[in-house]
Amino acid sequence: MTLVPRVVLSAPSSGHGTGALALGLLAALADRGLDVSGWKVGPDQVDAAYLGLAAGRPGRNLDPRLVGPERVAPLFAHGAADADVALVQGSMGLYDSVAGRPESESTAAVAVALRSPVVLVVDVAAMGQSVAALVHGFRAYDEQLWLGGVILNRVASPRHEAMLREALDDVGVPVYGALRRHELPPVLPARRHGTALVVQGDAEALRAVRRLGEAVAATVDLDRLLGLARSAPALTVQPWSPAPADDPPTGERPVIALAGGPGGSYSHPETAELLRAAGAEVVTVDPLRDEALPAGTRGLVVGGGLPETYADRLSANRRLCIAVAELARTGRPVIAEGAGLLWLARELDGLPMCGVLDAVGTSRDGLVIGYREATAATDSVVARAGAAVVGHKQHAAVLTPRAGERAAWSWAGGAPEGFVWRGVHASQLVPHWAAYPEIAARLVAAAAAPAEAPA
């Protein structure tokens, strides 16, 4: 049983200010001395990273598509353990699902799984009394959902606010705060930086989060909101655990380098937890600053949060590129997800990379984005051939060729993708390791094995 005060923050659709408000709420609550935990519904590692920055503890993703609906509540119970309050930031509209599965994959479905109240953020800039009809409709749409109240955003004036509050009072919906236009300033760094500024511990990112916290503390009734969060009932689920089901590993703990920085890693937080539970000593390596791998490194993981827009800095770090290439050449396990695949290529947009893979990357306009139900095309450090996973892709740059002689994955409607070479598994597909703990076990076993003779 897990008793963590919690609230889910959502909206009628994208664009209502949920992201900025979630960051401001976490920062404001943390400033009160509370131990807060931040979560993001869906695969967006950037939002999760900033939620972690605001909370002061790792931000995490809750994605029913990536981990399975049955793992949502256990993962939450694990990651929010001992927190004074947890805040879950929704994705898109409350009842929306990218894959058309709102009954299991929407923010509403996550809220029901967590037995959590929902606070709806509503942009009321062009709305009057109709706000009551809108909110009442969202409350009545799903009888399992607990809509605990609203926060009004972009209110025009005191008179406008009074009108909105009166309309919502008529339908019995509490208002926890009202923010005027421009009170949630667009202070966050551009998304092209991805998770890098958080991972690097950038002062600009921290200042932006603090400003949002100050704005929210001045406009939202935090005490009433905490009261709502504390009314959430206990979660009667067994928390997820990274520990293996069989006997814990003994003997040597091989050093696994995890790409990241002082503010965290480019992987989901559960990745490091799984690696440690599988018997590894996890040490951070910064692809943008460190010129060498950690002493004794016997494996490397480059997570999907590494931004591909940092190609110039990755390329400029020639010493680390050479060290990574040597690690791969000796057969040590290297798992590269997302932009990590591009880093291992021969070059990206004319800039030399690590040269592990005989492929060239090129940036294009627009994004390739979406979930893939993939099958392992080759035995590798990640999976046995034929194993099925669900992963997420989001990238602008593409590789030529798309796959090596031994491809990483195949899926319906697409050509084989990714590269398997010696101990290397590189792909732009990003699975969530909590759903596939065997990845960590396979990686640690490969790292503990004797090195291959160089090719």
Side-chain angles (χ1 to χ4, degrees):
M1 181 178 293
T2 301
L3 185 58
V4 177
R6 58 198 178 275
V7 67
V8 172
L9 203 66
S10 190
S13 67
S14 299
H16 285 249
T18 309
L21 192 55
L23 290 175
L25 282 170
L26 283 170
L29 292 169
D31 193 52
R32 285 189 166 197
L34 297 173
D35 185 350
V36 293
S37 176
W39 299 77
K40 171 65 180 179
V41 175
D44 192 331
Q45 288 182 255
V46 179
D47 280 358
Y50 275 93
L51 291 169
L53 179 64
R57 60 190 280 172
R60 298 173 186 256
N61 292 88
L62 283 176
D63 191 323
R65 188 72 184 279
L66 289 183
V67 303
E70 73 282 358
R71 288 190 185 89
V72 167
L75 278 169
F76 176 85
H78 164 76
D82 302 321
D84 295 319
V85 62
L87 185 144
V88 181
Q89 178 192 337
S91 177
M92 303 182 294
L94 177 59
Y95 295 107
D96 294 333
S97 163
V98 170
R101 303 173 184 175
E103 70 286 349
S104 60
E105 297 179 5
S106 64
T107 297
V110 169
V112 170
L114 298 182
R115 304 181 70 191
S116 173
V118 175
V119 171
L120 203 65
V121 181
V122 184
D123 184 334
V124 293
M127 191 178 300
Q129 289 90 342
S130 293
V131 69
L134 173 73
V135 175
H136 175 67
F138 271 82
R139 180 178 58 182
Y141 185 77
D142 183 354
E143 62 182 15
Q144 296 186 77
L145 186 84
W146 176 8
L147 202 156
V150 300
I151 295 176
L152 306 174
N153 190 21
R154 298 184 67 209
V155 176
S157 65
R159 181 173 177 274
H160 187 208
E161 179 181 342
M163 176 196 306
L164 297 165
R165 285 181 178 273
E166 182 179 353
L168 289 164
D169 185 61
D170 286 344
V171 293
V173 175
V175 177
Y176 291 99
L179 292 94
R180 299 287 188 268
R181 293 171 179 170
H182 312 303
E183 281 187 331
L184 281 180
V187 293
L188 290 176
R191 282 188 66 88
R192 64 181 175 81
H193 294 290
T195 65
L197 297 184
V198 175
V199 169
Q200 296 291 320
D202 182 77
E204 177 191 355
L206 187 57
R207 282 195 299 270
V209 168
R210 284 175 177 166
R211 283 190 62 190
L212 292 173
E214 292 166 358
V216 167
T219 52
V220 174
D221 190 335
L222 297 178
D223 290 325
R224 287 183 67 212
L225 194 65
L226 281 170
L228 176 67
R230 288 167 179 155
S231 68
L235 276 177
T236 55
V237 297
Q238 186 68 28
W240 176 83
S241 172
D246 50 10
D247 294 334
T250 59
E252 179 189 8
R253 298 183 68 84
V255 174
I256 303 293
L258 187 64
S265 80
Y266 293 110
S267 301
H268 297 107
E270 294 84 357
T271 297
E273 294 170 351
L274 283 162
L275 287 169
R276 292 189 183 99
E281 178 184 348
V282 179
V283 183
T284 299
V285 60
D286 190 336
L288 305 178
R289 296 178 179 175
D290 292 339
E291 294 187 348
L293 291 167
T297 293
R298 299 181 68 166
L300 171 65
V301 178
V302 186
L306 181 68
E308 58 188 44
T309 51
Y310 278 49
D312 54 344
R313 292 185 60 182
L314 293 169
S315 177
N317 194 351
R318 298 313 307 156
R319 290 185 179 180
L320 186 59
C321 283
I322 293 168
V324 169
E326 180 63 17
L327 186 75
R329 190 176 70 89
T330 59
R332 288 298 180 195
V334 177
I335 297 178
E337 302 169 343
L341 166 68
L342 305 171
W343 187 38
L344 296 190
R346 193 168 68 242
E347 64 178 55
L348 173 59
D349 294 334
L351 298 172
M353 293 290 157
C354 293
V356 173
L357 309 173
D358 187 16
V360 174
T362 307
S363 296
R364 298 182 178 178
D365 293 333
L367 283 175
V368 174
I369 185 169
Y371 296 99
R372 301 288 187 273
E373 297 179 4
T375 301
T378 311
D379 281 340
S380 72
V381 68
V382 168
R384 294 186 182 277
V389 306
V390 176
H392 187 262
K393 287 168 67 77
Q394 182 169 332
H395 60 88
V398 296
L399 274 189
T400 305
R402 173 184 167 92
E405 291 183 12
R406 300 170 65 211
W409 304 110
S410 63
W411 52 74
E417 189 263 8
F419 295 75
V420 175
W421 176 75
R422 297 177 74 82
V424 174
H425 185 284
S427 166
Q428 286 173 314
L429 190 72
V430 182
H432 196 303
W433 289 26
Y436 311 101
E438 62 273 15
I439 298 176
R442 291 174 69 86
L443 173 60
V444 173
E452 297 181 20

